[in-house]
C-alpha cells in the first residue's frame, strides 16, 4: 500500500510540474486559434524570464522584453548576423569620436507618443547613469545630444569602433519617456504591446495595431518561463504550447519523428568553456593548461552530454557562424592523451609512487571542476571531462552549485576549473567578450588571473581601429594567443534546438539569442 501511495504522489506531482505553468483554458483548435474568438494566439515555453522588473535597462531584463517583441533598439542583427538599422535610419561617423544617428520618422510608442531624438537621449542616458549596474558597458560614451528632432549625436571619450554594435544590446532599448511605471508596464515601439505579467511565470503581449514596420500576424502571445527542459518538451508534445525553446538533446529525435511537430536547430553564439585558475599551482604553468586541453575529447563530450545534436566541438571561443572567428585558420586542440601526459611530465607532474595517479610536489594531483545548475547540459559535460582527466591519471571531482555560490567562489579564487556557458558576441562585435575575459583589467580576467601585455595591446588597437580588416587582424592575434595560453578551455559551441508545431510559420532562430518574437510569426490556417 505504501508503494502505491508513493507512486500516486509521484504521478500527481509530475502532472502539476508539466501543466502548472499553463493556464487551465485549453487551446481549442489545432490551427492555434480560439474557436470562439477567431484570435491567433501563440503559446511559447521559454527558458529564462524576468522575475522582478520589466525595465529593459535593469540587469538583463532587456533580453526578455526584446524576445517578447515589446522593445526595439537603434540597430539590430538579422537572422544571419548582418548589422542593420532598426529604429535608426542610418548613421554617419563624423570623426573618430563622433557618430551621427538619423532616426526613422513617424514611429509611435505603444502609448501613442512619438519616437524622436529626445526619447533616444532619455533611453541612453538611463543606461549611462552610474547608478545603473550595466553602465560600465557604456562608459566609453562621453555625451549624447540632439542635433534636431530626428538626429542624435553620440560622442565617445576616445575612438571606439564597436559604438554602433553596442547599440544593438537590449539594455539600450528605446523606451517611451512618458511611461509612468516602466517596471510594471513597459512601453516600447515593437510589434507587440504589454498585456500582463505573472512574475517569473508568464508574460503576455498583444498585437500592436499601429506597428511601424508592417502588419503583425498574431493577435496575442503568452510566454511561459519553464526552467526544466524536459517539461518544456512535454508541454510541446502535449500541445499546451506551440513553440518550445531549449529542447533537451535527448528529446530532439522524439519530437522530430512526430508528424505534428518539427525541429529547428542552428549554431548559436554561445560557447561552453572552463575558466582556469592560473593563480593556483600547477595551473599557473601553461604546459599544464595545454595538457588539459589535449586531454579533452570534445567529440565525446558533445556526443555524450549533448546527444550529438546540441552542439559542436569548439576549436576556439567563437563559433564559425561569427565572421570574427579564427576557426578556419587554426587546428585547435585535438584529443591527444599522450601529448597531454608529455606536457604534464615537462611540468614535473608524473606518477612517482606507482599508484596510477599523477603526482605534483610529492602529492597526488587532484582537481575539482565546478559548474552551476541552471544549464542542465553543463553537469554531464563536467562528468565526461572528469572521466577523461582521470584517464590520464588526474584525480578529478565535480561540484554543481547554485549560480550565486559559484560566482562567490570565483570572486574569491576558490576554484581550480569552472565550466560556464556564455553568449560570446551578443552585440555581434568581438570586443564584448575579449575585453571582459582576456584584457588584464577585464572583470572575468580577474577570475583567471590572465595577463598578457600583447593581448592587452591588440584588444585596445582592435577597439580603436575603425577599419574592419585591420580590426580582424588584431582580434585574430588575440584569439590565437589566448588559445596558446589557455586561461580558458573551450569545449563546445551550442546549437539552439527549438521545437514547434507544424502550423507555426515565420519563426526564425537568431544566433545571438536576442530576437525571438517578430511580426512575421503566425499560425497557419488564418
Amino acid at each position: 500500500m505504501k508503494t502505491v501511495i508513493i507512486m500516486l504522489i509521484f504521478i500527481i506531482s509530475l502532472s502539476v510540474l508539466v501543466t502548472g505553468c499553463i493556464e487551465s483554458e485549453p487551446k481549442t483548435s489545432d490551427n492555434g486559434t480560439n474557436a470562439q474568438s477567431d484570435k491567433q494566439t501563440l503559446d511559447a515555453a521559454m527558458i529564462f524570464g524576468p522575475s522582478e522588473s520589466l525595465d529593459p535597462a535593469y540587469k538583463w531584463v532587456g533580453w526578455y522584453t526584446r524576445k517578447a517583441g515589446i522593445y526595439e533598439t537603434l540597430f539590430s542583427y538579422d537572422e544571419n548576423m548582418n548589422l542593420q538599422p532598426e529604429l535608426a535610419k542610418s548613421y554617419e561617423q563624423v570623426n573618430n569620436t563622433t557618430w551621427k544617428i538619423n532616426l526613422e520618422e513617424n514611429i509611435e510608442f505603444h502609448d501613442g507618443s512619438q519616437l524622436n531624438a529626445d526619447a533616444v537621449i532619455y533611453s541612453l542616458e538611463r543606461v549611462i547613469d552610474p547608478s545603473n549596474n550595466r553602465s560600465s558597458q557604456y562608459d566609453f560614451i562621453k555625451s549624447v545630444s540632439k542635433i534636431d528632432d530626428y538626429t542624435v549625436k553620440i560622442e565617445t571619450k576616445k575612438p571606439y569602433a564597436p559604438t554602433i554594435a553596442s547599440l544593438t544590446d537590449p539594455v539600450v532599448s528605446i523606451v517611451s519617456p512618458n511611461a509612468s511605471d516602466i517596471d510594471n508596464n513597459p512601453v516600447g515601439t515593437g510589434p507587440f504591446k504589454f498585456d500582463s505579467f505573472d512574475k517569473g511565470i508568464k508574460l503576455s503581449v498583444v498585437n500592436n495595431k499601429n506597428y511601424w514596420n508592417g502588419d503583425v500576424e498574431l493577435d496575442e502571445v503568452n510566454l511561459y518561463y519553464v526552467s526544466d527542459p524536459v517539461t518544456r518538451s512535454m508541454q510541446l508534445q502535449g500541445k499546451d504550447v506551440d513553440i518550445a525553446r531549449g529542447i533537451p538533446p535527448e528529446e530532439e529525435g522524439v519530437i522530430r519523428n512526430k508528424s505534428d511537430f518539427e525541429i529547428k536547430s542552428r549554431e548559436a553564439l554561445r560557447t561552453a568553456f572552463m575558466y582556469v585558475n592560473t593563480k593556483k599551482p600547477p595551473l599557473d604553468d601553461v604546459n599544464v593548461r595545454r595538457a588539459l586541453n589535449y586531454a579533452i575529447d570534445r567529440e565525446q563530450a558533445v556526443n555524450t552530454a549533448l546527444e550529438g545534436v546540441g552542439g559542436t566541438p569548439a576549436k576556439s571561443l567563437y563559433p564559425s557562424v561569427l565572421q570574427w572567428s579564427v576557426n578556419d585558420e587554426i587546428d585547435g586542440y585535438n584529443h591527444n592523451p599522450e601529448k597531454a601526459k608529455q606536457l604534464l611530465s615537462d611540468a614535473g607532474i608524473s606518477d612517482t609512487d606507482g599508484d596510477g595517479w599523477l603526482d605534483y610536489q610529492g602529492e597526488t594531483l587532484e582537481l575539482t571542476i565546478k559548474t552551476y545548475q541552471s544549464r542542465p547540459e553543463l553537469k554531464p559535460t563536467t562528468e565526461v571531462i572528469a572521466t577523461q582527466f582521470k584517464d590520464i591519471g588526474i584525480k578529478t571531482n565535480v561540484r554543481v552549485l547554485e549560480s550565486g555560490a559559484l560566482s562567490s567562489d570565483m570572486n574569491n579564487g576558490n576554484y581550480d576549473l569552472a565550466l560556464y556557458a556564455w553568449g560570446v558576441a551578443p552585440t555581434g562585435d568581438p570586443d564584448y567578450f575579449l575585453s571582459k575575459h582576456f584584457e588584464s583589467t577585464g572583470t572575468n580576467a580577474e577570475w583567471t588571473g590572465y595577463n598578457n601585455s600583447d593581448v592587452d595591446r591588440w584588444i585596445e588597437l582592435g577597439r580603436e581601429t575603425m577599419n574592419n580588416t585591420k580590426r580582424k587582424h588584431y582580434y585574430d592575434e588575440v584569439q590565437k594567443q589566448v588559445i596558446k595560453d589557455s586561461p580558458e578551455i573551450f569545449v563546445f559551441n551550442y546549437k539552439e534546438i527549438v521545437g514547434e508545431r507544424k502550423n507555426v510559420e515565420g519563426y526564425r532562430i537568431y544566433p545571438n539569442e536576442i530576437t525571438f518574437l517578430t511580426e512575421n510569426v503566425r499560425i497557419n490556417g488564418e
Side-chain angles (χ1 to χ4, degrees), residues 443-460:
T443 53
N444 298 84
E446 292 178 3
W447 283 0
T448 61
Y450 183 61
N451 189 330
N452 184 304
S453 59
D454 286 335
V455 168
D456 281 352
R457 179 170 56 86
W458 290 326
I459 290 176
E460 185 172 4

Side-chain angles (χ1 to χ4, degrees), residues 44-49 63-64 67-68 222-228 232 235 241 243-246 516-517:
M46 310 295 283
I47 306 171
F48 301 110
W63 286 61
Y64 309 134
K67 285 184 173 74
N222 300 304
L223 303 177
Y224 297 92
Y225 301 112
V226 184
S227 60
D228 180 65
R232 292 194 298 272
Q235 288 174 344
V241 298
I243 296 180
R245 291 189 66 226
F516 173 75
L517 191 59

Side-chain angles (χ1 to χ4, degrees), residues 155-303:
E155 290 192 79
T156 61
K157 296 173 183 176
K158 55 184 179 180
Y160 189 73
T163 296
I164 298 301
S166 75
L167 300 176
T168 68
D169 192 311
V171 72
V172 286
S173 295
I174 306 305
V175 306
S176 170
N178 297 325
S180 59
D181 185 11
I182 204 165
D183 285 309
N184 300 299
N185 189 11
V187 182
T189 59
F192 293 90
K193 299 169 62 173
F194 172 75
D195 182 52
S196 64
F197 178 45
D198 190 353
K199 292 184 178 181
I201 298 175
K202 184 182 76 165
L203 174 62
S204 296
V205 294
V206 295
N207 185 306
N208 175 13
K209 302 296 184 183
N210 297 317
Y211 184 51
W212 65 277
N213 199 27
D215 293 335
V216 181
E217 298 283 356
L218 295 168
D219 293 298
E220 56 188 15
V221 180
N222 300 304
L223 303 177
Y224 297 92
Y225 301 112
V226 184
S227 60
D228 180 65
V230 175
T231 301
R232 292 194 298 272
S233 175
M234 293 177 70
Q235 288 174 344
L236 177 68
Q237 294 177 64
K239 298 185 179 180
D240 293 311
V241 298
D242 304 291
I243 296 180
R245 291 189 66 226
I247 293 295
E250 64 271 18
E251 294 285 309
E252 189 264 358
V254 175
I255 294 172
R256 187 183 294 278
N257 290 329
K258 292 191 173 183
S259 60
D260 291 342
F261 304 97
E262 64 181 2
I263 288 287
K264 288 184 176 176
S265 177
R266 190 172 186 186
E267 192 169 50
L269 293 176
R270 183 173 296 276
T271 298
F273 62 93
M274 289 194 295
Y275 289 103
V276 184
N277 190 345
T278 71
K279 296 177 280 190
K280 187 175 183 178
L283 298 173
D284 58 344
D285 188 326
V286 69
N287 281 331
V288 175
R289 301 195 296 270
R290 290 174 181 167
L292 297 181
N293 255 313
Y294 280 116
I296 297 174
D297 185 340
R298 290 161 174 80
E299 193 75 43
Q300 184 185 52
V302 168
N303 289 337

